[in-house]
Amino acid sequence: MRKTSLTVLVLALGVFGIITTEMGMVGVLPQVSAELGVTPSAAGWLVGVFALVIAVSGPFTTLLASGIDRKKVLAAAIAVFAVSNAVYALTTQYEVMLAFRVIPALFHPVFFAVALATAARLVPAKDATRATTTVFAGVTVGFAFGVPLSSYLAEHLSLASAFWFGALVNLIAFLGILRFVPSMPVGQRVSYGAQLSVLRRLRMWLTIASIVLVFAAMFSVYGYFAEYLGQVTHMDGTWVSAMLMAFGIVMILGNFAFGSLLRRNLVRTVVAYPVLCLLVYVLLYAVGPLLAPMVAVVLIWGAVHSGGLIVSQSWLGRDASDAPEFGNSLFISFSNLGITIGTAVGGWVLAEYGARHLAWVGVGFAVAALIVMALRLGLDRGGERQGTPAERGSLAAGEVRA
């Protein structure tokens, strides 16, 4: 049992390293622009291309890897991230750095999908949601500490040191996978057709649509966190940095709180999530100009925001338990699509109407997500086939009460 716990923690460390690689670039773009001699908009492509490749390639790369030993897949994927960070630290060519943003992005959804499914398989079914929640903690810890630390190192030491930090984390995760993750050859391989068959179900597409809308609700506002606090609450850079750190720390606690709620009742927790987002955004709009109340709301916001990952993954798992890794890849791809849509709409509202109205964008997406969830649940009430008991639970956590 102790070794299993260590294995799950190693997978969480790998997720932390991947998030630090993916999102850490956001905090070092000014230094990248200066050192590589490119415009800020060109440097921004280092972030945008990464997300775009994930959204487009995720399900396909995961399908291609579905017949390979899980340990080899995890080790190879995290090794690519370690090497890519080393290339970032050493190169002075923008084109080289851009190429090595595309390459790890191809492996990003594969690692996530396999890590989540592996964590769930290593423990008894009743503990599967707890295991996946622990792996997801790597995401929140990455936002809370990995991204700010990368930015700090780039600002106070050097840009290369920020990337060497990312390389070191991924290298440690690689060694941990070699040491603690057991060999997991694929026994009876699920055919590509069988995995793709989950996309023939109307309920799956409604679930996917609700996940896109949930992530759009989350990131249409969070994507402009600094702008909102600066323009509406009139916080300076020091305050904004402190709020970002506090937001990330609270996210860690919120992640485990939502995991506990999901174990008690999956469907109620999922439906409650967009309602909580809606209420937070109304509060955000109401107290936006007030410093002290806004500090409190930021903490509440962080706790709620953290739940979107594990809630959405578990929600999609009800319809993809017969192809869990492919289902996880769908989650990664379509959540990134939601992020893209949310930040695009949020950016338009920010430019046209000002930062304070961003809250209503989040409200609109949250209401839309609720409507689609209601349609999805209506299929169950209407008598559509429910599938296996595991299919009615979370992704590989069939005993979660729905």
Side-chain angles (χ1 to χ4, degrees), residues 326-370:
F326 182 61
N328 280 328
S329 71
L330 292 172
F331 162 70
I332 298 299
S333 290
F334 283 99
S335 61
N336 273 274
L337 177 60
I339 292 170
T340 302
I341 292 171
T343 52
V345 176
W348 177 77
V349 169
L350 177 67
E352 294 293 324
Y353 301 102
R356 194 173 185 193
H357 293 283
L358 286 168
W360 297 117
V361 182
V363 167
F365 280 122
V367 170
L370 269 174

Side-chain angles (χ1 to χ4, degrees), residues 10-224:
V10 164
L11 296 175
L13 178 64
V15 169
F16 170 80
I18 285 177
I19 289 298
T20 300
T21 302
E22 178 186 5
M23 303 306 298
M25 187 66 75
V26 173
V28 301
L29 283 180
Q31 291 88 347
V32 169
S33 178
E35 293 210 11
L36 299 188
V38 297
T39 64
S41 61
W45 272 102
L46 297 171
V47 177
V49 163
F50 200 104
L52 182 61
V53 170
I54 292 171
V56 172
S57 69
F60 305 104
T61 53
T62 304
L63 277 177
L64 289 173
S66 62
I68 306 172
D69 185 306
R70 308 293 81 193
K71 179 174 182 174
K72 292 179 180 178
V73 171
L74 291 167
I78 205 70
V80 168
F81 275 81
V83 170
S84 296
N85 274 281
V87 171
Y88 304 155
L90 295 170
T91 190
T92 57
Q93 299 296 316
Y94 171 78
E95 293 78 11
V96 173
M97 188 174 287
L98 185 63
F100 276 86
R101 293 295 284 176
V102 171
I103 294 170
L106 293 170
F107 288 84
H108 176 291
V110 176
F111 186 92
F112 261 87
V114 175
L116 289 168
T118 299
R121 288 171 181 168
L122 289 172
V123 299
K126 63 184 177 63
D127 296 324
T129 300
R130 181 180 287 109
T132 55
T133 300
T134 301
V135 174
F136 265 122
V139 176
T140 53
V141 175
F143 275 103
F145 298 107
V147 175
L149 183 54
S150 295
S151 179
Y152 178 87
L153 290 172
E155 180 70 25
H156 296 280
L157 291 180
S158 67
L159 178 62
S161 67
F163 294 135
W164 284 123
F165 165 67
L168 178 62
V169 171
N170 286 290
L171 176 61
I172 294 172
F174 171 75
L175 296 174
I177 288 168
L178 293 183
R179 173 66 180 82
F180 294 108
V181 175
S183 179
M184 300 178 70
V186 178
Q188 184 176 358
R189 179 179 175 183
V190 181
S191 69
Y192 293 156
Q195 294 181 74
L196 288 168
S197 68
V198 301
L199 294 175
R200 298 195 190 114
R201 307 166 187 164
L202 174 60
R203 56 183 177 161
M204 172 60 81
W205 284 107
L206 288 172
T207 298
I208 286 172
S210 65
I211 288 172
V212 171
L213 291 167
V214 163
F215 273 81
M218 292 165 62
F219 283 88
S220 59
V221 188
Y222 174 74
Y224 302 97

Side-chain angles (χ1 to χ4, degrees), residues 218-264:
M218 292 165 62
F219 283 88
S220 59
V221 188
Y222 174 74
Y224 302 97
F225 184 95
E227 285 83 353
Y228 194 93
L229 295 184
Q231 296 178 26
V232 179
T233 316
H234 305 295
M235 292 184 180
D236 60 21
T238 301
W239 266 101
V240 171
S241 296
M243 289 295 95
L244 275 169
M245 181 68 76
F247 189 97
I249 292 171
V250 173
M251 276 184 68
I252 298 171
L253 302 175
N255 178 71
F256 288 101
F258 274 99
S260 178
L261 291 171
L262 284 165
R263 289 193 295 275
R264 295 179 184 179

